[in-house]
């Protein structure tokens, strides 16, 4: 029985997963991860940590990655909606520095698998938005790092206007207000 529909992106191994939603008079049931099924699809993933965060509308978290112990992430939104974005930081990748963004929401139930070697960020489009994601390695604060979400060399087209958000009113953490540029990241600075 098919449990997931995989959609590839222009970036190798960065995939969008649509779980099969089984509805009945009570509501719905869906499997959101199945090791055996993912292996059949060629994704042999070992998750060791689950994360869950809640954000107000207009929060931007990112662009984050771990310099060592890079984490693959299987992301989904269980309440509200986000515009999620991944940036390919795999040095030898033909799509190095390329980004891909999409809407993940309680409604569309999509999952986004971001492999190791990517930076990750998201913009929340609803109040009380909750995301839950599985990680292929543990959190190592000493390796926690980032790149400026608005870096011109990466050029992410954040959909502020499309969702009635204003860049100047974004809600950011202290560190996300002052992340290194892509050039600094490339130069190994900071
Ligand atoms: C990531 C993480 C954080 N923390 C602690 C550290 C802080 O005391 C607090 C908030 O951490 P932070 O501000 O780094 O949370 P986010 O801004 O949501 O960071 C995450 O956002 C982007 C989008 C990601 O993909 C990463 O998972 C991660 O970088 O939780 C932990 O205890 N464990 C963890 O795995």
């Amino acid at each position: 029985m098919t449990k997931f529909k995989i959609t590839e992106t222009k970036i190798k191994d960065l995939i969008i997963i649509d779980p099969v939603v089984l509805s009945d008079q009570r509501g719905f049931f869906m499997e959101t991860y199945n090791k055996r099924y993912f292996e059949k699809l060629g994704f042999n993933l070992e998750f060791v940590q689950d994360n869950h965060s809640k954000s107000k509308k207009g929060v931007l978290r990112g662009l984050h990655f771990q310099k060592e112990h890079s984490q693959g992430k299987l992301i989904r939104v269980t309440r509200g909606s986000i515009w999620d974005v991944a940036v390919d930081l795999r040095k030898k990748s033909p799509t190095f520095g390329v980004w891909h963004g999409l809407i993940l929401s309680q409604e569309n139930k999509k999952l986004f698998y971001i492999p190791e070697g990517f930076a990750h960020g998201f913009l929340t489009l609803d109040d009380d938005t909750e995301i839950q994601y599985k990680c292929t390695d543990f959190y190592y604060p000493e390796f926690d790092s980032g790149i400026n979400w608005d870096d011109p060399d990466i050029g992410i087209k954040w959909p502020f206007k499309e969702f009635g958000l204003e860049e100047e009113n974004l809600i950011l953490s202290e560190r996300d207000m002052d992340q290194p540029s892509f050039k600094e990241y490339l130069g190994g600075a900071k």
Side-chain angles (χ1 to χ4, degrees), residues 49 51 53 61-62 64-65 71 73 120-122 131 133 135 139 144 173 175-176:
Q49 178 177 319
N51 294 338
S53 72
R61 297 180 190 242
H64 302 162
F65 59 94
Q71 296 168 303
K73 294 165 189 162
H120 175 229
F122 64 86
I131 84 164
Y133 51 110
C135 303
Y139 172 59
D144 203 7
S173 64
R175 76 168 180 144
D176 284 349

Side-chain angles (χ1 to χ4, degrees), residues 8-116:
E8 297 187 348
T9 65
K10 60 187 177 298
I11 300 174
K12 189 173 177 318
D13 300 332
L14 183 71
I15 58 167
I16 300 156
I17 301 143
D18 288 281
V20 169
V21 181
L22 303 167
S23 300
D24 64 21
Q25 69 282 8
R26 298 165 298 172
F28 73 81
F29 180 94
M30 60 182 179
E31 292 185 13
T32 52
Y33 174 62
N34 181 310
K35 182 173 173 49
R36 188 172 42 201
Y37 205 85
F38 271 56
E39 279 173 357
K40 253 194 241 162
L41 298 172
F43 292 91
N44 190 1
L45 306 173
E46 285 297 332
F47 294 109
V48 297
Q49 178 177 319
D50 284 1
N51 294 338
H52 180 164
S53 72
K54 177 176 176 180
S55 305
K56 299 171 187 164
K57 179 173 180 177
V59 163
L60 191 152
R61 297 180 190 242
L63 301 167
H64 302 162
F65 59 94
Q66 290 192 157
K67 285 182 285 196
E68 291 187 36
H69 294 279
S70 180
Q71 296 168 303
K73 294 165 189 162
L74 180 62
I75 303 162
R76 68 193 183 101
V77 169
T78 49
R79 183 173 173 178
S81 57
I82 65 173
W83 188 77
D84 204 65
V85 65
V87 184
D88 191 352
L89 296 180
R90 299 171 300 185
K91 293 265 182 298
K92 296 191 174 58
S93 169
T95 50
F96 178 74
V98 174
W99 59 272
H100 183 86
L102 79 164
I103 292 177
L104 301 176
S105 70
Q106 178 183 349
E107 291 314 310
N108 74 21
K109 301 183 179 64
K110 288 182 185 294
L111 294 108
F112 194 27
Y113 178 65
I114 304 179
E116 285 126 22

Side-chain angles (χ1 to χ4, degrees), residues 124-140:
T124 54
L125 310 176
D126 286 301
D127 257 332
D128 300 330
T129 283
E130 299 190 39
I131 84 164
Q132 306 198 32
Y133 51 110
K134 305 179 83 67
C135 303
T136 61
D137 206 339
F138 299 105
Y139 172 59
Y140 289 85

